[in-house]
Amino acid sequence: MIIIMLGAPGTGKGTVAALLEGELGYKQVSTGDIFRKNIQEGTELGKLADSYISKGQLVPDDVTINIVASRLEEPDVQEGIILDGFPRTVAQAEALDDILAKKGKKVDMVLNLTTPEEEIIERVVSRRICSNQQCKTVYNVVMNPPKQEGICDKCGAKLVQRQDDNEETIKSRIATYMEQTSPLVEYYQNKGVLRTEEVSQRINHLGKDVADEVVRDINK
Ligand code: ADP
Ligand code: ZN
């Protein structure tokens, strides 16, 4: 089963993907996480990715597509995968379709998350993430703070803020999304695999609710 998480930054793709991984057993593969790991380790890929990510721009398609193509060959994702943050351009979506077609597979579900822009900005600037790569639990210092400031409830590791989670960069990330990623809504709508869910405090419908509903429907 191939599931794609689509949506502007800060809509909760990572949160929903992690919950779906726990419930369905398919690996969450986040291109953003792959880039951040490489930035931390100071690899060549990390240096290249950082020059785009810090400006709120997309990493070039050829680089990103190659990473995902090789990840899709690994044994742990043959039964299914939850792609979190990929594809983000029409070229990436077309490349993914080609890769999957060669394996006799296709995209089964595209979960398109939407959130009002003011809420995205609030959410992103108050987001903190567990620095333990095995944990990566997401907190919000306003809505969902850890019990002890700066420390992960689950594993005790330090919480960190993503460098691109500041007001200036989130605005360019949203603009990049509008320009380059939002055409994918129609792309997948036309393929009949799109499922749109609003994730918002305002309607009291959060990532956890979306994950529960999707799991219920898949297990039906
Ligand atoms: P968010 O959705 O909150 O922006 P991600 O972790 O998915 O967070 O992505 C962080 C950054 O990594 C993006 O702003 C972009 O620069 C880069 N990135 C992630 N996925 C892709 C992709 N599929 N194509 C190009 N760049 C990507
Ligand atoms: Zn943790």
Side-chain angles (χ1 to χ4, degrees):
M1 171 147 220
I2 314 283
I3 301 176
I4 289 174
M5 302 302 310
L6 189 63
T11 51
K13 298 187 295 291
T15 302
V16 174
L19 292 167
L20 292 179
E21 175 182 272
E23 291 292 325
L24 302 171
Y26 305 133
K27 275 267 162 66
Q28 167 189 13
V29 172
S30 156
T31 39
D33 283 348
I34 294 172
F35 293 138
R36 280 185 289 277
K37 184 163 183 279
N38 277 275
I39 292 171
Q40 242 174 10
E41 291 170 354
T43 66
E44 284 307 310
L45 170 64
K47 283 175 204 155
L48 177 88
D50 192 33
S51 66
Y52 294 94
I53 293 177
S54 59
K55 291 185 227 140
Q57 297 169 358
L58 295 184
V59 178
D61 282 337
D62 56 341
V63 175
T64 309
I65 290 166
N66 277 323
I67 289 169
V68 175
S70 52
R71 186 67 185 85
L72 283 168
E73 294 305 318
E74 287 177 33
D76 63 332
V77 297
Q78 297 314 308
E79 289 294 303
I81 187 168
I82 303 159
L83 282 168
D84 167 12
F86 181 93
R88 254 173 151 102
T89 62
V90 172
Q92 290 180 14
E94 288 170 349
L96 177 64
D97 283 343
D98 287 347
I99 296 165
L100 293 176
K102 290 196 184 105
K103 297 165 148 292
K105 295 180 183 171
K106 59 169 180 48
V107 172
D108 296 287
M109 183 192 286
V110 177
L111 253 180
N112 175 39
L113 306 184
T114 65
T115 302
E117 186 167 326
E118 321 79 71
E119 206 174 314
I120 288 181
I121 294 172
E122 265 172 40
R123 206 184 275 176
V124 161
V125 296
S126 50
R127 171 157 75 181
R128 300 291 183 277
I129 299 164
C130 174
S131 58
N132 171 1
Q133 289 296 312
Q134 262 48 261
C135 179
K136 295 190 296 191
T137 300
V138 180
Y139 296 84
N140 180 298
V141 292
V142 183
M143 296 306 303
N144 169 35
K147 293 202 180 73
Q148 191 186 342
E149 196 185 320
I151 303 291
C152 178
D153 292 347
K154 288 194 188 154
C155 75
K158 230 174 78 180
L159 301 184
V160 292
Q161 182 168 25
R162 273 171 50 177
Q163 271 188 1
D164 59 349
D165 275 354
N166 59 71
E167 193 158 347
E168 192 191 331
T169 314
I170 184 59
K171 286 187 174 153
S172 27
R173 283 157 63 201
I174 293 171
T176 301
Y177 168 82
M178 294 307 269
E179 254 168 56
Q180 299 188 63
T181 308
S182 68
L184 292 182
V185 171
E186 198 186 335
Y187 182 91
Y188 287 118
Q189 176 98 60
N190 290 338
K191 292 187 185 284
V193 290
L194 192 78
R195 173 171 177 155
T196 298
E197 297 278 356
E198 179 166 356
V199 177
S200 171
Q201 290 290 339
R202 158 180 96 163
I203 56 166
N204 194 22
H205 193 240
L206 299 183
K208 186 177 183 325
D209 304 305
V210 173
D212 286 347
E213 289 155 18
V214 169
V215 169
R216 205 182 310 136
D217 292 347
I218 287 177
N219 291 333
K220 239 184 221 161

CSV table of all heavy atoms in Angstrom, one decimal, residues 93-115:
chain,number,residue,atom,x,y,z
A,93,ALA,N,5.9,13.8,-8.9
A,93,ALA,CA,4.8,12.8,-8.9
A,93,ALA,C,4.8,11.9,-10.1
A,93,ALA,O,4.6,10.7,-10.0
A,93,ALA,CB,3.5,13.6,-8.9
A,94,GLU,N,5.2,12.5,-11.3
A,94,GLU,CA,5.3,11.7,-12.5
A,94,GLU,C,6.4,10.7,-12.4
A,94,GLU,O,6.3,9.5,-12.8
A,94,GLU,CB,5.5,12.6,-13.7
A,94,GLU,CG,4.3,13.4,-14.0
A,94,GLU,CD,4.5,14.5,-15.1
A,94,GLU,OE1,5.7,14.9,-15.4
A,94,GLU,OE2,3.5,15.1,-15.5
A,95,ALA,N,7.6,11.1,-11.8
A,95,ALA,CA,8.7,10.2,-11.6
A,95,ALA,C,8.3,9.0,-10.7
A,95,ALA,O,8.6,7.9,-10.9
A,95,ALA,CB,9.9,10.9,-11.0
A,96,LEU,N,7.5,9.4,-9.6
A,96,LEU,CA,7.1,8.3,-8.7
A,96,LEU,C,6.1,7.3,-9.4
A,96,LEU,O,6.3,6.1,-9.2
A,96,LEU,CB,6.4,9.0,-7.5
A,96,LEU,CG,5.8,8.0,-6.5
A,96,LEU,CD1,6.9,7.2,-5.8
A,96,LEU,CD2,4.9,8.7,-5.4
A,97,ASP,N,5.2,7.9,-10.2
A,97,ASP,CA,4.3,7.0,-10.9
A,97,ASP,C,5.1,6.0,-11.8
A,97,ASP,O,4.8,4.8,-11.9
A,97,ASP,CB,3.4,7.8,-11.8
A,97,ASP,CG,2.2,8.4,-11.0
A,97,ASP,OD1,2.0,8.0,-9.8
A,97,ASP,OD2,1.6,9.4,-11.5
A,98,ASP,N,6.2,6.5,-12.5
A,98,ASP,CA,7.0,5.6,-13.3
A,98,ASP,C,7.7,4.6,-12.5
A,98,ASP,O,7.7,3.4,-12.9
A,98,ASP,CB,8.1,6.5,-14.1
A,98,ASP,CG,7.5,7.3,-15.2
A,98,ASP,OD1,6.3,7.1,-15.5
A,98,ASP,OD2,8.2,8.2,-15.7
A,99,ILE,N,8.3,5.0,-11.4
A,99,ILE,CA,9.0,4.0,-10.6
A,99,ILE,C,8.1,2.9,-10.1
A,99,ILE,O,8.4,1.7,-10.1
A,99,ILE,CB,9.6,4.7,-9.3
A,99,ILE,CG1,10.7,5.8,-9.8
A,99,ILE,CG2,10.2,3.7,-8.4
A,99,ILE,CD1,11.1,6.8,-8.7
A,100,LEU,N,6.9,3.3,-9.6
A,100,LEU,CA,5.9,2.4,-9.1
A,100,LEU,C,5.4,1.5,-10.2
A,100,LEU,O,5.3,0.3,-10.0
A,100,LEU,CB,4.8,3.1,-8.4
A,100,LEU,CG,5.1,3.9,-7.1
A,100,LEU,CD1,3.9,4.6,-6.6
A,100,LEU,CD2,5.7,2.9,-6.0
A,101,ALA,N,5.1,2.0,-11.4
A,101,ALA,CA,4.6,1.2,-12.5
A,101,ALA,C,5.5,0.1,-12.8
A,101,ALA,O,5.1,-1.0,-13.1
A,101,ALA,CB,4.3,2.1,-13.7
A,102,LYS,N,6.8,0.4,-12.8
A,102,LYS,CA,7.8,-0.7,-13.1
A,102,LYS,C,7.8,-1.8,-12.1
A,102,LYS,O,8.2,-2.9,-12.4
A,102,LYS,CB,9.2,-0.1,-13.1
A,102,LYS,CG,9.4,0.8,-14.3
A,102,LYS,CD,10.9,1.1,-14.6
A,102,LYS,CE,11.0,2.1,-15.8
A,102,LYS,NZ,11.4,3.5,-15.3
A,103,LYS,N,7.3,-1.5,-10.9
A,103,LYS,CA,7.2,-2.5,-9.9
A,103,LYS,C,5.8,-3.1,-9.8
A,103,LYS,O,5.4,-3.9,-8.9
A,103,LYS,CB,7.5,-1.9,-8.5
A,103,LYS,CG,8.9,-1.4,-8.3
A,103,LYS,CD,9.0,-0.5,-7.1
A,103,LYS,CE,10.3,-0.6,-6.4
A,103,LYS,NZ,10.7,-1.8,-5.8
A,104,GLY,N,4.9,-2.7,-10.7
A,104,GLY,CA,3.5,-3.2,-10.7
A,104,GLY,C,2.7,-2.6,-9.6
A,104,GLY,O,1.7,-3.2,-9.1
A,105,LYS,N,3.1,-1.4,-9.1
A,105,LYS,CA,2.4,-0.8,-8.0
A,105,LYS,C,1.9,0.6,-8.4
A,105,LYS,O,2.2,1.1,-9.5
A,105,LYS,CB,3.4,-0.5,-6.8
A,105,LYS,CG,3.9,-1.8,-6.2
A,105,LYS,CD,4.9,-1.5,-5.0
A,105,LYS,CE,5.4,-2.8,-4.5
A,105,LYS,NZ,6.5,-2.6,-3.5
A,106,LYS,N,1.1,1.2,-7.6
A,106,LYS,CA,0.6,2.5,-7.8
A,106,LYS,C,0.3,3.2,-6.5
A,106,LYS,O,0.2,2.6,-5.5
A,106,LYS,CB,-0.7,2.4,-8.7
A,106,LYS,CG,-1.8,1.6,-8.0
A,106,LYS,CD,-3.1,1.8,-8.8
A,106,LYS,CE,-4.2,1.0,-8.1
A,106,LYS,NZ,-4.3,1.1,-6.7
A,107,VAL,N,0.0,4.5,-6.6
A,107,VAL,CA,-0.3,5.3,-5.4
A,107,VAL,C,-1.8,4.9,-5.0
A,107,VAL,O,-2.7,4.9,-5.8
A,107,VAL,CB,-0.2,6.8,-5.7
A,107,VAL,CG1,-0.8,7.6,-4.5
A,107,VAL,CG2,1.2,7.2,-6.0
A,108,ASP,N,-1.9,4.5,-3.8
A,108,ASP,CA,-3.3,4.0,-3.3
A,108,ASP,C,-4.1,5.1,-2.7
A,108,ASP,O,-5.3,5.2,-2.9
A,108,ASP,CB,-3.1,2.9,-2.3
A,108,ASP,CG,-2.5,1.6,-3.0
A,108,ASP,OD1,-3.2,1.0,-3.8
A,108,ASP,OD2,-1.3,1.4,-2.8
A,109,MET,N,-3.4,6.0,-1.9
A,109,MET,CA,-4.2,7.0,-1.2
A,109,MET,C,-3.3,8.2,-1.0
A,109,MET,O,-2.1,8.1,-0.6
A,109,MET,CB,-4.6,6.5,0.2
A,109,MET,CG,-5.4,7.5,0.9
A,109,MET,SD,-5.7,7.1,2.7
A,109,MET,CE,-6.9,5.8,2.5
A,110,VAL,N,-3.9,9.4,-1.3
A,110,VAL,CA,-3.2,10.7,-1.1
A,110,VAL,C,-4.0,11.4,0.0
A,110,VAL,O,-5.1,11.8,-0.3
A,110,VAL,CB,-3.0,11.5,-2.4
A,110,VAL,CG1,-2.4,12.8,-2.1
A,110,VAL,CG2,-2.2,10.7,-3.4
A,111,LEU,N,-3.4,11.6,1.1
A,111,LEU,CA,-4.1,12.3,2.2
A,111,LEU,C,-3.6,13.8,2.1
A,111,LEU,O,-2.5,14.1,2.4
A,111,LEU,CB,-3.6,11.7,3.5
A,111,LEU,CG,-4.5,10.9,4.3
A,111,LEU,CD1,-3.9,10.4,5.6
A,111,LEU,CD2,-5.8,11.6,4.6
A,112,ASN,N,-4.6,14.6,1.8
A,112,ASN,CA,-4.3,16.0,1.6
A,112,ASN,C,-4.8,16.8,2.8
A,112,ASN,O,-6.0,16.9,3.0
A,112,ASN,CB,-5.0,16.5,0.3
A,112,ASN,CG,-4.9,18.0,0.1
A,112,ASN,OD1,-3.8,18.6,0.3
A,112,ASN,ND2,-6.0,18.6,-0.4
A,113,LEU,N,-3.8,17.3,3.6
A,113,LEU,CA,-4.2,18.0,4.9
A,113,LEU,C,-4.3,19.5,4.6
A,113,LEU,O,-3.4,20.1,4.0
A,113,LEU,CB,-3.2,17.7,6.0
A,113,LEU,CG,-2.9,16.2,6.2
A,113,LEU,CD1,-2.0,16.0,7.4
A,113,LEU,CD2,-4.3,15.5,6.5
A,114,THR,N,-5.3,20.1,5.2
A,114,THR,CA,-5.4,21.6,5.0
A,114,THR,C,-5.6,22.2,6.4
A,114,THR,O,-6.2,21.6,7.3
A,114,THR,CB,-6.6,22.0,4.2
A,114,THR,OG1,-7.8,21.6,4.8
A,114,THR,CG2,-6.6,21.3,2.8
A,115,THR,N,-5.0,23.4,6.6
A,115,THR,CA,-5.1,24.2,7.8
A,115,THR,C,-5.1,25.6,7.5
A,115,THR,O,-4.3,26.0,6.6
A,115,THR,CB,-3.8,23.8,8.7
A,115,THR,OG1,-3.8,22.4,9.0
A,115,THR,CG2,-3.8,24.6,10.0
